[in-house]
Amino acid sequence: MIIKRYIVNNMNEAMNRIRNELGNDAIIVSQRKIRQKGLLGFFKAKKLEVTAAVDEKKQPSVPKTIELEKEIIELKNLISSMNKQVDKKNEKKSESKNKFKSNLIKSGIPEEIVEEIVSEIKKRNEGKKLNQKIYEKEFKNILDEIIKINNIDNGKIHVFVGPTGVGKTTTIAKLASLYSLYKNKKVGLITIDTYRIGAIEQLKTYADILGVPFGVIYSNNEINSVLNEMTNCDIILIDTTGRNSKNYMQLQETKKLINEINPDNVHLVISMTTKEKDIKRIIEDYKILNYNSLILTKIDETNSMGSLVTAIYYSNTPISYITTGQNVPDDIEEAEKTKIINLILEAE
Ligand SMILES: Nc1nc2c(ncn2[C@@H]2O[C@H](COP(=O)(O)OP(=O)(O)OP(=O)(O)O)[C@@H](O)[C@H]2O)c(=O)[nH]1
Ligand SMILES: [Mg+2]
Protein backbone atom coordinates (compact mmCIF):
# COMPACT_ATOMS: atom_id res chain seq x y z
CA MET A 1 0.00 0.00 0.00
CA ILE A 2 1.28 3.48 -0.89
CA ILE A 3 0.02 6.38 1.18
CA LYS A 4 0.59 9.99 0.18
CA ARG A 5 -0.30 13.31 1.73
CA TYR A 6 -1.15 16.33 -0.41
CA ILE A 7 -1.38 19.96 0.70
CA VAL A 8 -3.62 21.68 -1.87
CA ASN A 9 -5.85 24.69 -2.35
CA ASN A 10 -9.00 22.72 -3.10
CA MET A 11 -10.36 19.25 -3.66
CA ASN A 12 -10.19 19.58 -7.42
CA GLU A 13 -6.43 20.13 -7.33
CA ALA A 14 -6.07 17.19 -4.93
CA MET A 15 -8.00 14.86 -7.28
CA ASN A 16 -5.88 15.82 -10.27
CA ARG A 17 -2.63 15.22 -8.45
CA ILE A 18 -3.79 11.94 -6.92
CA ARG A 19 -4.99 10.67 -10.32
CA ASN A 20 -1.70 11.66 -11.96
CA GLU A 21 0.56 10.25 -9.32
CA LEU A 22 -1.32 7.30 -7.85
CA GLY A 23 -3.77 6.49 -10.63
CA ASN A 24 -7.54 5.96 -10.82
CA ASP A 25 -7.57 3.21 -8.21
CA ALA A 26 -6.36 5.50 -5.44
CA ILE A 27 -8.75 6.20 -2.60
CA ILE A 28 -8.99 9.24 -0.35
CA VAL A 29 -8.23 8.24 3.23
CA SER A 30 -8.76 11.61 4.93
CA GLN A 31 -9.11 15.34 4.37
CA ARG A 32 -8.89 18.39 6.67
CA LYS A 33 -8.41 22.12 6.51
CA ILE A 34 -5.02 23.38 7.81
CA ARG A 35 -3.36 26.74 8.41
CA GLN A 36 0.09 27.24 6.88
CA LYS A 37 3.14 27.34 9.14
CA GLY A 38 4.99 30.50 10.16
CA LEU A 39 3.93 34.02 10.92
CA LEU A 40 2.98 34.79 7.35
CA GLY A 41 0.84 31.66 7.18
CA PHE A 42 -1.51 33.27 9.61
CA PHE A 43 -2.59 35.80 7.00
CA LYS A 44 -2.89 33.32 4.21
CA ALA A 45 -5.97 31.35 3.20
CA LYS A 46 -6.38 27.94 4.76
CA LYS A 47 -5.19 24.91 2.78
CA LEU A 48 -6.59 21.41 2.40
CA GLU A 49 -4.65 18.35 3.55
CA VAL A 50 -5.75 15.26 1.63
CA THR A 51 -4.35 11.80 2.28
CA ALA A 52 -4.76 9.18 -0.45
CA ALA A 53 -3.74 5.56 -0.74
CA VAL A 54 -3.41 2.95 -3.44
CA ASP A 55 -2.54 -0.72 -3.56
CA GLU A 56 1.11 -1.06 -4.72
CA LYS A 57 0.14 -3.52 -7.43
CA LYS A 58 -2.46 -1.16 -8.77
CA GLN A 59 -0.03 1.72 -9.09
CA PRO A 60 -0.71 3.48 -12.38
CA SER A 61 1.50 3.68 -15.41
CA VAL A 62 1.29 7.49 -15.26
CA PRO A 63 3.87 7.95 -12.49
CA LYS A 64 6.21 5.62 -14.34
CA THR A 65 5.88 7.82 -17.43
CA ILE A 66 6.75 10.83 -15.33
CA GLU A 67 9.78 9.00 -13.91
CA LEU A 68 10.77 7.98 -17.42
CA GLU A 69 10.46 11.54 -18.68
CA LYS A 70 12.64 12.69 -15.81
CA GLU A 71 15.26 10.12 -16.68
CA ILE A 72 15.17 11.13 -20.36
CA ILE A 73 15.67 14.80 -19.42
CA GLU A 74 18.58 13.87 -17.17
CA LEU A 75 20.13 11.77 -19.94
CA LYS A 76 19.67 14.60 -22.46
CA ASN A 77 21.40 17.04 -20.08
CA LEU A 78 24.23 14.57 -19.56
CA ILE A 79 24.72 14.08 -23.33
CA SER A 80 24.63 17.83 -24.03
CA SER A 81 27.21 18.55 -21.28
CA MET A 82 29.40 15.76 -22.72
CA ASN A 83 29.04 17.27 -26.20
CA LYS A 84 30.06 20.67 -24.88
CA GLN A 85 33.19 19.16 -23.36
CA VAL A 86 34.03 17.45 -26.69
CA ASP A 87 33.46 20.75 -28.58
CA LYS A 88 35.81 22.57 -26.20
CA LYS A 89 38.48 19.90 -26.69
CA ASN A 90 38.10 20.14 -30.50
CA GLU A 91 38.33 23.92 -30.35
CA LYS A 92 41.55 23.68 -28.36
CA LYS A 93 42.89 21.11 -30.80
CA SER A 94 42.22 23.25 -33.89
CA GLU A 95 43.62 26.30 -32.07
CA SER A 96 46.88 24.55 -31.34
CA LYS A 97 46.82 23.21 -34.89
CA ASN A 98 46.72 26.79 -36.12
CA LYS A 99 49.35 28.15 -33.78
CA PHE A 100 50.52 30.31 -36.66
CA LYS A 101 47.23 32.17 -36.74
CA SER A 102 47.08 32.73 -32.99
CA ASN A 103 50.72 33.87 -32.96
CA LEU A 104 50.01 36.51 -35.60
CA ILE A 105 47.01 37.77 -33.65
CA LYS A 106 49.08 37.79 -30.44
CA SER A 107 51.75 39.84 -32.22
CA GLY A 108 49.17 42.60 -32.74
CA ILE A 109 48.25 42.07 -36.39
CA PRO A 110 44.51 42.78 -36.76
CA GLU A 111 42.36 39.64 -36.98
CA GLU A 112 40.84 40.85 -40.24
CA ILE A 113 44.30 40.82 -41.91
CA VAL A 114 45.31 37.53 -40.28
CA GLU A 115 42.14 35.84 -41.60
CA GLU A 116 42.89 37.03 -45.13
CA ILE A 117 46.52 35.90 -44.93
CA VAL A 118 45.54 32.46 -43.58
CA SER A 119 42.89 31.93 -46.27
CA GLU A 120 45.37 33.05 -48.96
CA ILE A 121 47.94 30.52 -47.66
CA LYS A 122 45.25 27.80 -47.69
CA LYS A 123 44.30 28.75 -51.25
CA ARG A 124 47.91 28.57 -52.39
CA ASN A 125 48.30 25.11 -50.84
CA GLU A 126 45.03 23.47 -51.77
CA GLY A 127 45.08 19.73 -51.14
CA LYS A 128 48.25 19.95 -49.05
CA LYS A 129 48.37 19.30 -45.32
CA LEU A 130 49.51 22.58 -43.77
CA ASN A 131 51.95 22.72 -40.90
CA GLN A 132 53.61 25.53 -38.99
CA LYS A 133 56.66 25.53 -41.28
CA ILE A 134 54.59 25.92 -44.46
CA TYR A 135 52.53 28.69 -42.88
CA GLU A 136 55.66 30.62 -41.88
CA LYS A 137 57.30 30.18 -45.26
CA GLU A 138 54.17 31.31 -47.08
CA PHE A 139 53.74 34.30 -44.76
CA LYS A 140 57.27 35.39 -45.60
CA ASN A 141 56.45 35.02 -49.31
CA ILE A 142 53.31 37.12 -48.93
CA LEU A 143 55.22 39.85 -47.04
CA ASP A 144 57.83 39.80 -49.77
CA GLU A 145 55.08 40.36 -52.35
CA ILE A 146 53.18 43.12 -50.55
CA ILE A 147 56.12 45.19 -49.22
CA LYS A 148 57.19 47.74 -51.81
CA ILE A 149 60.20 49.98 -51.49
CA ASN A 150 60.59 53.53 -52.74
CA ASN A 151 63.84 55.22 -53.61
CA ILE A 152 63.67 58.80 -52.35
CA ASP A 153 66.61 59.76 -54.59
CA ASN A 154 64.03 59.85 -57.36
CA GLY A 155 62.76 63.37 -57.80
CA LYS A 156 63.65 66.80 -56.49
CA ILE A 157 60.69 68.22 -54.60
CA HIS A 158 59.42 66.20 -51.63
CA VAL A 159 56.41 67.09 -49.48
CA PHE A 160 55.87 65.43 -46.11
CA VAL A 161 52.30 65.09 -44.87
CA GLY A 162 50.65 63.28 -41.98
CA PRO A 163 48.82 63.57 -38.68
CA THR A 164 50.08 65.82 -35.86
CA GLY A 165 53.19 64.84 -33.94
CA VAL A 166 54.15 61.81 -36.02
CA GLY A 167 57.66 63.12 -36.67
CA LYS A 168 57.40 64.98 -40.00
CA THR A 169 59.73 67.85 -39.07
CA THR A 170 62.21 65.57 -37.28
CA THR A 171 62.29 63.22 -40.28
CA ILE A 172 62.92 66.17 -42.63
CA ALA A 173 65.82 67.28 -40.38
CA LYS A 174 67.26 63.74 -40.43
CA LEU A 175 66.98 63.56 -44.23
CA ALA A 176 68.39 67.04 -44.73
CA SER A 177 71.44 66.02 -42.65
CA LEU A 178 71.84 62.74 -44.53
CA TYR A 179 71.66 64.38 -47.95
CA SER A 180 73.81 67.40 -47.19
CA LEU A 181 76.41 65.77 -44.94
CA TYR A 182 76.70 62.23 -46.30
CA LYS A 183 75.40 62.36 -49.89
CA ASN A 184 76.88 65.75 -50.73
CA LYS A 185 73.62 67.09 -52.14
CA LYS A 186 72.46 70.68 -52.08
CA VAL A 187 69.40 70.62 -49.83
CA GLY A 188 66.70 73.27 -49.47
CA LEU A 189 64.17 73.33 -46.63
CA ILE A 190 60.72 74.90 -46.87
CA THR A 191 57.80 74.92 -44.49
CA ILE A 192 54.17 75.59 -45.21
CA ASP A 193 53.37 74.97 -41.53
CA THR A 194 52.48 78.50 -40.57
CA TYR A 195 49.69 77.20 -38.34
CA ARG A 196 51.48 75.68 -35.35
CA ILE A 197 53.31 78.07 -33.02
CA GLY A 198 57.06 77.41 -33.19
CA ALA A 199 56.85 75.26 -36.31
CA ILE A 200 58.77 77.74 -38.50
CA GLU A 201 61.54 78.17 -35.91
CA GLN A 202 61.77 74.39 -35.46
CA LEU A 203 62.71 73.78 -39.10
CA LYS A 204 64.71 77.02 -39.43
CA THR A 205 66.93 75.91 -36.53
CA TYR A 206 67.83 72.73 -38.43
CA ALA A 207 68.42 74.73 -41.66
CA ASP A 208 70.74 77.11 -39.76
CA ILE A 209 72.73 74.26 -38.17
CA LEU A 210 73.17 72.59 -41.55
CA GLY A 211 73.74 75.89 -43.36
CA VAL A 212 71.11 75.19 -46.01
CA PRO A 213 68.59 77.64 -47.55
CA PHE A 214 65.26 77.98 -45.81
CA GLY A 215 61.91 79.38 -46.96
CA VAL A 216 58.37 79.81 -45.67
CA ILE A 217 55.26 79.59 -47.85
CA TYR A 218 52.34 81.45 -46.29
CA SER A 219 49.98 81.30 -49.25
CA ASN A 220 49.60 79.92 -52.77
CA ASN A 221 50.95 83.02 -54.48
CA GLU A 222 54.30 82.73 -52.69
CA ILE A 223 55.05 79.21 -53.87
CA ASN A 224 56.87 80.13 -57.06
CA SER A 225 59.03 82.85 -55.56
CA VAL A 226 60.16 80.59 -52.67
CA LEU A 227 60.85 77.68 -55.03
CA ASN A 228 62.71 79.94 -57.46
CA GLU A 229 65.17 80.83 -54.70
CA MET A 230 66.12 77.16 -54.54
CA THR A 231 66.62 76.38 -58.21
CA ASN A 232 70.23 75.36 -57.56
CA CYS A 233 69.18 72.78 -54.90
CA ASP A 234 69.31 69.06 -55.73
CA ILE A 235 66.61 68.19 -53.28
CA ILE A 236 63.91 70.33 -51.63
CA LEU A 237 62.14 69.03 -48.53
CA ILE A 238 58.82 70.67 -47.67
CA ASP A 239 57.22 70.44 -44.22
CA THR A 240 53.46 70.72 -43.74
CA THR A 241 51.05 71.28 -40.88
CA GLY A 242 50.02 68.14 -39.00
CA ARG A 243 46.43 67.40 -39.94
CA ASN A 244 43.75 65.41 -38.22
CA SER A 245 42.76 63.11 -41.06
CA LYS A 246 39.10 63.35 -40.01
CA ASN A 247 39.17 67.08 -40.76
CA TYR A 248 38.34 67.10 -44.46
CA MET A 249 38.48 70.91 -44.75
CA GLN A 250 42.04 71.07 -43.36
CA LEU A 251 43.16 68.32 -45.73
CA GLN A 252 41.59 70.23 -48.63
CA GLU A 253 43.63 73.34 -47.68
CA THR A 254 46.87 71.31 -47.72
CA LYS A 255 45.78 69.70 -50.99
CA LYS A 256 45.44 73.11 -52.69
CA LEU A 257 48.99 74.06 -51.68
CA ILE A 258 50.42 70.69 -52.74
CA ASN A 259 48.71 70.88 -56.14
CA GLU A 260 50.25 74.26 -56.68
CA ILE A 261 53.73 73.07 -55.58
CA ASN A 262 53.43 70.03 -57.87
CA PRO A 263 56.02 67.89 -56.03
CA ASP A 264 57.75 64.75 -57.33
CA ASN A 265 56.98 62.84 -54.13
CA VAL A 266 54.36 63.16 -51.42
CA HIS A 267 55.43 61.17 -48.34
CA LEU A 268 52.75 60.13 -45.88
CA VAL A 269 54.40 60.00 -42.46
CA ILE A 270 52.73 57.59 -40.02
CA SER A 271 53.79 56.83 -36.47
CA MET A 272 53.90 53.14 -35.65
CA THR A 273 52.53 53.91 -32.21
CA THR A 274 49.17 54.71 -33.85
CA LYS A 275 46.35 52.20 -33.29
CA GLU A 276 45.83 49.82 -36.23
CA LYS A 277 42.25 50.98 -36.73
CA ASP A 278 43.40 54.62 -36.97
CA ILE A 279 46.20 53.73 -39.40
CA LYS A 280 43.63 52.17 -41.72
CA ARG A 281 41.57 55.38 -41.59
CA ILE A 282 44.57 57.71 -42.03
CA ILE A 283 45.67 55.73 -45.09
CA GLU A 284 42.22 56.19 -46.59
CA ASP A 285 41.64 59.84 -45.63
CA TYR A 286 45.05 61.02 -46.85
CA LYS A 287 44.50 59.52 -50.29
CA ILE A 288 43.12 62.90 -51.40
CA LEU A 289 46.70 64.22 -51.12
CA ASN A 290 47.89 61.60 -53.65
CA TYR A 291 50.78 60.36 -51.52
CA ASN A 292 53.11 57.99 -53.34
CA SER A 293 55.42 57.03 -50.47
CA LEU A 294 55.24 56.01 -46.81
CA ILE A 295 57.61 56.96 -44.02
CA LEU A 296 57.03 54.86 -40.93
CA THR A 297 58.21 56.52 -37.72
CA LYS A 298 58.70 55.66 -34.05
CA ILE A 299 59.37 51.98 -34.78
CA ASP A 300 61.52 52.10 -31.62
CA GLU A 301 58.49 52.87 -29.48
CA THR A 302 56.57 49.68 -30.18
CA ASN A 303 57.15 45.95 -30.01
CA SER A 304 53.93 45.13 -31.80
CA MET A 305 54.29 45.07 -35.55
CA GLY A 306 50.53 45.19 -36.08
CA SER A 307 50.73 48.82 -37.12
CA LEU A 308 53.54 48.11 -39.58
CA VAL A 309 51.62 45.26 -41.23
CA THR A 310 48.43 47.35 -41.26
CA ALA A 311 50.17 50.26 -43.01
CA ILE A 312 51.75 47.98 -45.60
CA TYR A 313 48.61 45.90 -46.13
CA TYR A 314 46.11 48.69 -46.65
CA SER A 315 48.23 51.38 -48.30
CA ASN A 316 49.67 49.38 -51.19
CA THR A 317 52.28 52.14 -51.27
CA PRO A 318 56.07 51.85 -51.32
CA ILE A 319 57.98 52.66 -48.12
CA SER A 320 60.87 55.13 -48.34
CA TYR A 321 62.21 55.31 -44.79
CA ILE A 322 61.68 53.99 -41.30
CA THR A 323 62.71 56.01 -38.26
CA THR A 324 63.84 54.53 -35.00
CA GLY A 325 64.37 57.31 -32.48
CA GLN A 326 64.63 61.01 -31.75
CA ASN A 327 68.29 61.47 -32.67
CA VAL A 328 68.96 63.67 -35.68
CA PRO A 329 70.38 62.43 -38.03
CA ASP A 330 71.17 58.89 -36.76
CA ASP A 331 67.74 57.38 -36.14
CA ILE A 332 66.61 56.91 -39.71
CA GLU A 333 67.09 54.00 -42.11
CA GLU A 334 66.38 53.56 -45.78
CA ALA A 335 63.55 51.08 -46.18
CA GLU A 336 64.73 47.61 -47.14
CA LYS A 337 62.52 44.65 -47.75
CA THR A 338 64.48 42.10 -45.71
CA LYS A 339 64.83 44.52 -42.81
CA ILE A 340 61.08 45.13 -42.70
CA ILE A 341 60.25 41.43 -43.10
CA ASN A 342 62.62 40.58 -40.23
CA LEU A 343 61.11 43.30 -38.04
CA ILE A 344 57.69 41.74 -38.55
CA LEU A 345 58.80 38.13 -38.11
CA GLU A 346 60.94 38.85 -35.06
CA ALA A 347 58.06 40.64 -33.37
CA GLU A 348 55.94 37.45 -33.42
N1 LIG B 1 60.80 57.71 -30.33
C1 LIG B 1 60.76 58.41 -31.45
N2 LIG B 1 60.39 59.71 -31.41
C2 LIG B 1 60.35 60.40 -32.57
C3 LIG B 1 60.68 59.81 -33.81
N3 LIG B 1 60.53 60.75 -34.77
C4 LIG B 1 60.12 61.87 -34.13
N4 LIG B 1 60.01 61.68 -32.82
C5 LIG B 1 59.60 62.61 -31.78
O1 LIG B 1 58.24 62.93 -31.96
C6 LIG B 1 57.96 64.24 -31.51
C7 LIG B 1 57.22 65.01 -32.58
O2 LIG B 1 58.09 65.18 -33.68
P1 LIG B 1 57.88 66.28 -34.80
O3 LIG B 1 58.94 66.07 -35.82
O4 LIG B 1 57.78 67.64 -34.20
O5 LIG B 1 56.47 65.82 -35.35
P2 LIG B 1 55.59 66.55 -36.46
O6 LIG B 1 54.88 65.49 -37.21
O7 LIG B 1 56.39 67.51 -37.22
O8 LIG B 1 54.55 67.32 -35.53
P3 LIG B 1 53.57 68.53 -35.96
O9 LIG B 1 54.37 69.49 -36.77
O10 LIG B 1 53.13 69.11 -34.67
O11 LIG B 1 52.45 67.93 -36.71
C8 LIG B 1 59.29 64.85 -31.14
O12 LIG B 1 59.48 64.75 -29.76
C9 LIG B 1 60.30 63.96 -31.85
O13 LIG B 1 61.56 63.92 -31.22
C10 LIG B 1 61.08 58.42 -33.81
O14 LIG B 1 61.37 57.80 -34.84
N5 LIG B 1 61.09 57.78 -32.61
MG1 LIG C 1 56.18 69.54 -37.61
Side-chain angles (χ1 to χ4, degrees):
M1 175 76 72
I2 294 172
I3 298 167
K4 264 194 159 180
R5 201 167 65 100
Y6 297 90
I7 309 290
V8 288
N9 291 318
N10 52 47
M11 203 53 193
N12 223 3
E13 189 189 335
M15 292 305 288
N16 282 337
R17 286 183 61 188
I18 292 165
R19 221 172 280 133
N20 273 337
E21 291 178 28
L22 301 180
N24 288 334
D25 292 324
I27 51 163
I28 289 165
V29 180
S30 71
Q31 56 169 297
R32 67 186 177 109
K33 282 191 176 158
I34 54 163
R35 197 179 292 283
Q36 288 179 74
K37 280 182 189 164
L39 192 63
L40 288 172
F42 189 80
F43 299 103
K44 286 186 179 169
K46 279 183 181 171
K47 293 246 172 186
L48 198 60
E49 182 193 84
V50 180
T51 308
V54 68
D55 194 339
E56 237 165 309
K57 283 173 214 152
K58 288 181 179 173
Q59 237 196 315
S61 57
V62 183
K64 270 189 187 160
T65 318
I66 292 167
E67 284 301 312
L68 216 62
E69 271 174 8
K70 259 192 199 166
E71 275 176 30
I72 289 170
I73 289 167
E74 272 169 23
L75 267 171
K76 273 186 180 169
N77 287 342
L78 192 69
I79 290 167
S80 107
S81 84
M82 277 164 71
N83 278 344
K84 272 181 196 158
Q85 277 175 357
V86 171
D87 283 351
K88 265 190 190 163
K89 270 188 191 163
N90 283 343
E91 241 172 59
K92 272 193 183 160
K93 249 190 196 173
S94 71
E95 251 174 41
S96 69
K97 246 194 211 166
N98 210 337
K99 219 172 121 203
F100 165 78
K101 186 171 158 180
S102 52
N103 278 350
L104 286 197
I105 293 170
K106 251 191 255 162
S107 81
I109 301 174
E111 222 167 316
E112 183 184 28
I113 298 177
V114 175
E115 290 291 351
E116 284 180 28
I117 288 171
V118 168
S119 78
E120 177 61 24
I121 294 174
K122 283 182 182 164
K123 212 167 80 188
R124 290 180 184 195
N125 291 276
E126 241 174 56
K128 271 194 214 163
K129 209 174 168 215
L130 288 170
N131 58 32
Q132 188 73 6
K133 246 187 174 172
I134 299 178
Y135 267 120
E136 280 168 11
K137 195 172 149 255
E138 288 287 10
F139 181 46
K140 213 171 163 177
N141 289 341
I142 290 174
L143 287 176
D144 192 65
E145 288 163 32
I146 62 173
I147 295 172
K148 295 182 185 94
I149 302 297
N150 196 30
N151 186 354
I152 193 174
D153 288 341
N154 296 332
K156 181 175 174 179
I157 303 178
H158 299 263
V159 173
F160 298 77
V161 298
T164 53
V166 291
K168 296 178 293 298
T169 310
T170 311
T171 302
I172 289 173
K174 288 171 182 173
L175 288 172
S177 313
L178 274 183
Y179 276 91
S180 64
L181 302 176
Y182 301 107
K183 295 194 176 185
N184 261 332
K185 301 268 184 204
K186 282 192 186 119
V187 179
L189 294 182
I190 295 174
T191 185
I192 60 173
D193 185 5
T194 54
Y195 179 81
R196 187 171 65 78
I197 294 167
I200 298 173
E201 286 69 29
Q202 192 187 0
L203 194 65
K204 189 176 183 302
T205 308
Y206 286 117
D208 290 344
I209 293 169
L210 293 168
V212 302
F214 174 74
V216 183
I217 294 172
Y218 286 92
S219 61
N220 273 18
N221 48 26
E222 288 166 355
I223 291 172
N224 284 339
S225 63
V226 175
L227 283 177
N228 283 341
E229 278 170 34
M230 296 191 184
T231 43
N232 66 338
C233 287
D234 303 309
I235 186 161
I236 297 169
L237 308 175
I238 303 177
D239 201 2
T240 64
T241 314
R243 296 298 194 197
N244 171 357
S245 79
K246 286 191 273 187
N247 193 327
Y248 184 74
M249 292 309 285
Q250 282 189 348
L251 282 183
Q252 280 296 337
E253 258 177 53
T254 309
K255 185 185 164 77
K256 270 185 212 155
L257 280 165
I258 292 177
N259 282 351
E260 207 58 40
I261 293 167
N262 191 21
D264 299 293
N265 285 297
V266 177
H267 304 275
L268 174 60
V269 184
I270 310 177
S271 164
M272 291 299 92
T273 58
T274 314
K275 275 190 262 155
E276 287 78 14
K277 234 166 112 185
D278 295 331
I279 290 183
K280 193 178 171 187
R281 186 177 40 77
I282 289 162
I283 279 169
E284 269 314 303
D285 294 346
Y286 268 88
K287 276 186 182 158
I288 65 161
L289 300 188
N290 294 325
Y291 60 87
N292 63 343
S293 145
L294 288 187
I295 294 181
L296 307 175
T297 60
K298 306 196 186 183
I299 298 244
D300 56 302
E301 281 197 34
T302 175
N303 283 329
S304 151
M305 288 302 134
S307 43
L308 189 59
V309 176
T310 306
I312 293 164
Y313 198 80
Y314 290 117
S315 72
N316 194 26
T317 302
I319 307 166
S320 305
Y321 281 91
I322 58 172
T323 77
T324 53
Q326 292 181 292
N327 292 320
V328 180
D330 293 339
D331 296 337
I332 189 161
E333 297 175 28
E334 275 179 20
E336 270 175 35
K337 219 177 229 191
T338 38
K339 208 187 293 175
I340 294 170
I341 291 176
N342 287 341
L343 267 175
I344 295 166
L345 296 181
E346 279 160 21
E348 277 178 60

